[in-house]
Amino acid sequence: MENTGHAWLPLLFLGLAAAFCSCKEEIPMVSLGIDDRYAVARMQALVLHPRFDGDGYLWTMPDSAGDETVVSTSRDFVFCKAVPGEYDLRLRIEDKTNPYVHDVHIVVWEEEVAYSRYIAKVYEYCPAPGQFVNVMPEYEPGNTYADMLEKAEESISGTNDGMVSLGAFGGYITFGFDHSVVNVPGEYDFKILGNAFYASETPDPDDPYSGGSAEPGIVMVSFDRNGNGIPDDEWYELAGSEYYKPQTKHGYRITYHRPDPLKPATPDERNPSVTDTSYIRFTDNEGGTGHVAKVVFYNQEYFPCWVNEASLTFGGTKLADNAVDESGNGSGYVQHAYDWGYVDNHPNGVRDKSSFDIGWAVDGNGYPVDLPCIDFVRVYTGVSQSCGWLGEISTEVSRAEDLHVEERLRDGRMKNDER
């Protein structure tokens, strides 16, 4: 009797198997690759990659009124927030056969060890030849690239007030923080300090802030998409005020050739401060040629002493010359500041002119890109011009700050905390 009572079990299993076979075309039976819940520290990126192929992808989050707002239409979504809290995210995968909706709840918590507002690491220091190269930072006989990289980091990391020179056009430095810098819509995200200043007397009374010492450096940013902690992912330029102007050259390349120590100097007869007008020769990808001149104030070698190669090549966006010889004989150059978007272009105290928005990022074709956060920043000298006794235009970098991280005092309190 007991065996007779359970005779329906094989029939049930057959029914379930049939149901499974009939539904497997409608219900995905493999993992989407995205969990329902996540917990992550603020200013740390979470990359969500759905395994399902679809005709389209729509990521939405509720806005302050509770309405769904589209935050991405890419397959992958990078989540990164500056403020702790709980966030809801919805993914819709468009597919004619199996459309799919998945909800994700993300808890963002405050970091256990407080982040620093300032540079934590310098990854690359590759200056072009220039009058302050081998001086800022100082090269000592026997120093290697690793030694100079360490000196550059010591100069500008944390709250150090040192300075590094990037030399002539193309010379660059790459650095990062101890966290991802978040792209907060409608706000400046980070600031980079230089040594620009306005002249006490400007030649243009209609533009009192244009004249002085401005050596514009171009900023590039990168997100550590592969998560390996080194700056080997795609780079994007922050399009400043000059990016789309016809005078700006994109895809420019320049090669500096090591100077022959036996070559006779060619002083500037009009200006004794220039001791060698043909000191370091350069060629470019437009068939042009020129020289980085040597000035009397700095007699050390201008070509990086730790470099063994016979030449150095750099590339990027080249801005129009910004220095004007008001004297007519090379003794009175005024370096005019561009409007916005460049390092060492306006004085550090002019916050809006020395701060940067990740939202300015563009790809190699000049199209805007959406970067929720970035991990690496690169600055390179954006002008190729010699300015008489002032020497070449060379961007200087002091330090940088993440504007979304509060300054802390030595006792750990926030700078604006009066307790």
Side-chain angles (χ1 to χ4, degrees):
M1 295 293 296
E2 293 179 356
N3 291 338
T4 302
H6 292 283
W8 54 273
L9 286 175
L11 296 176
L12 175 61
F13 291 147
L14 287 173
L16 289 173
F20 172 78
C21 292
S22 65
C23 294
K24 70 177 182 179
E25 295 298 321
E26 301 176 5
I27 302 176
M29 299 306 293
V30 296
S31 171
L32 175 64
I34 299 176
D35 293 335
D36 297 334
R37 299 179 63 86
Y38 289 93
V40 64
R42 73 186 186 109
M43 300 184 177
Q44 297 293 337
L46 174 66
V47 180
L48 301 176
H49 174 72
R51 292 177 183 168
F52 293 172
D53 293 327
D55 298 324
Y57 303 86
L58 188 68
W59 300 86
T60 62
M61 295 183 69
D63 58 20
S64 57
D67 298 323
E68 281 192 82
T69 300
V70 176
V71 292
S72 178
T73 56
S74 300
R75 178 170 185 163
D76 291 359
F77 181 71
V78 179
F79 178 89
C80 192
K81 294 294 180 181
V83 180
E86 298 191 23
Y87 299 84
D88 291 307
L89 182 66
R90 173 167 290 174
L91 166 63
R92 289 183 175 88
I93 300 178
E94 301 172 10
D95 187 271
K96 295 178 181 178
T97 305
N98 296 315
Y100 195 80
V101 178
H102 186 77
D103 291 326
V104 181
H105 185 73
I106 304 173
V107 177
V108 177
W109 41 271
E110 190 165 351
E111 69 277 11
E112 295 181 1
V113 178
Y115 296 134
S116 170
R117 180 182 174 92
Y118 306 100
I119 293 173
K121 186 174 180 60
V122 172
Y123 296 90
E124 300 170 302
Y125 175 54
C126 303
Q131 61 183 311
F132 300 117
V133 174
N134 300 315
V135 174
M136 294 191 309
E138 182 181 2
Y139 171 84
E140 297 175 290
N143 280 167
T144 64
Y145 172 75
D147 295 326
M148 298 306 294
L149 187 63
E150 182 178 353
K151 289 183 178 184
E153 182 173 296
E154 289 174 353
S155 297
I156 66 172
S157 62
T159 57
N160 295 335
D161 288 322
M163 191 169 294
V164 297
S165 179
L166 306 184
F169 173 83
Y172 65 92
I173 191 167
T174 305
F175 57 83
F177 300 83
D178 62 1
H179 57 278
S180 297
V181 181
V182 180
N183 181 6
V184 177
E187 296 185 17
Y188 292 112
D189 300 306
F190 59 92
K191 180 177 181 178
I192 304 177
L193 308 184
N195 64 347
F197 59 85
Y198 298 142
S200 57
E201 295 183 5
T202 175
D204 186 356
D206 295 327
D207 190 2
Y209 302 115
S210 68
S213 176
E215 302 180 283
I218 292 172
V219 179
M220 303 191 73
V221 295
S222 179
F223 169 61
D224 187 16
R225 184 170 293 276
N226 61 20
N228 65 359
I230 58 177
D232 59 356
D233 293 277
E234 187 169 0
W235 285 96
Y236 304 95
E237 183 172 336
L238 297 190
S241 61
E242 310 307 297
Y243 184 87
Y244 295 104
K245 292 186 177 180
Q247 303 93 329
T248 300
K249 296 180 179 180
H250 301 284
Y252 183 77
R253 292 183 65 79
I254 192 169
T255 298
Y256 301 94
H257 304 274
R258 183 185 294 277
D260 180 356
L262 300 180
K263 181 193 76 66
T266 55
D268 187 340
E269 296 180 357
R270 298 183 310 162
N271 187 352
S273 296
V274 181
T275 59
D276 192 353
T277 61
S278 59
Y279 176 42
I280 295 179
R281 183 175 66 92
F282 65 77
T283 54
D284 64 24
N285 60 342
E286 298 180 342
T289 187
H291 295 86
V292 175
K294 194 166 192 176
V295 294
V296 68
F297 310 104
Y298 296 94
N299 292 315
Q300 86 288 350
E301 293 185 51
Y302 289 10
F303 203 92
C305 289
W306 62 93
V307 173
N308 297 320
E309 287 75 17
S311 64
L312 288 171
T313 299
F314 300 91
T317 297
K318 177 178 172 292
L319 306 176
D321 291 353
N322 70 314
V324 177
D325 180 11
E326 299 291 338
S327 68
N329 61 12
S331 64
Y333 276 88
V334 176
Q335 298 167 340
H336 294 264
Y338 288 123
D339 191 10
W340 54 269
Y342 303 100
V343 178
D344 198 18
N345 183 48
H346 288 275
N348 298 331
V350 186
R351 184 180 186 273
D352 290 352
K353 300 292 188 178
S354 56
S355 298
F356 301 86
D357 183 351
I358 298 171
W360 300 339
V362 295
D363 63 17
N365 295 314
Y367 295 110
V369 295
D370 180 24
L371 293 173
C373 61
I374 55 99
D375 296 288
F376 309 108
V377 179
R378 177 176 291 166
V379 180
Y380 66 91
T381 301
V383 176
S384 180
Q385 184 180 10
S386 289
C387 304
W389 70 275
L390 291 176
E392 81 294 333
I393 286 188
S394 54
T395 302
E396 273 76 58
V397 175
S398 178
R399 51 188 167 98
E401 306 174 18
D402 180 344
L403 297 176
H404 305 313
V405 175
E406 292 288 338
E407 290 188 75
R408 294 179 181 268
L409 303 176
R410 291 185 177 180
D411 61 4
R413 292 182 300 134
M414 297 296 185
K415 185 173 183 180
N416 296 327
D417 188 351
E418 301 298 334
R419 292 178 297 171

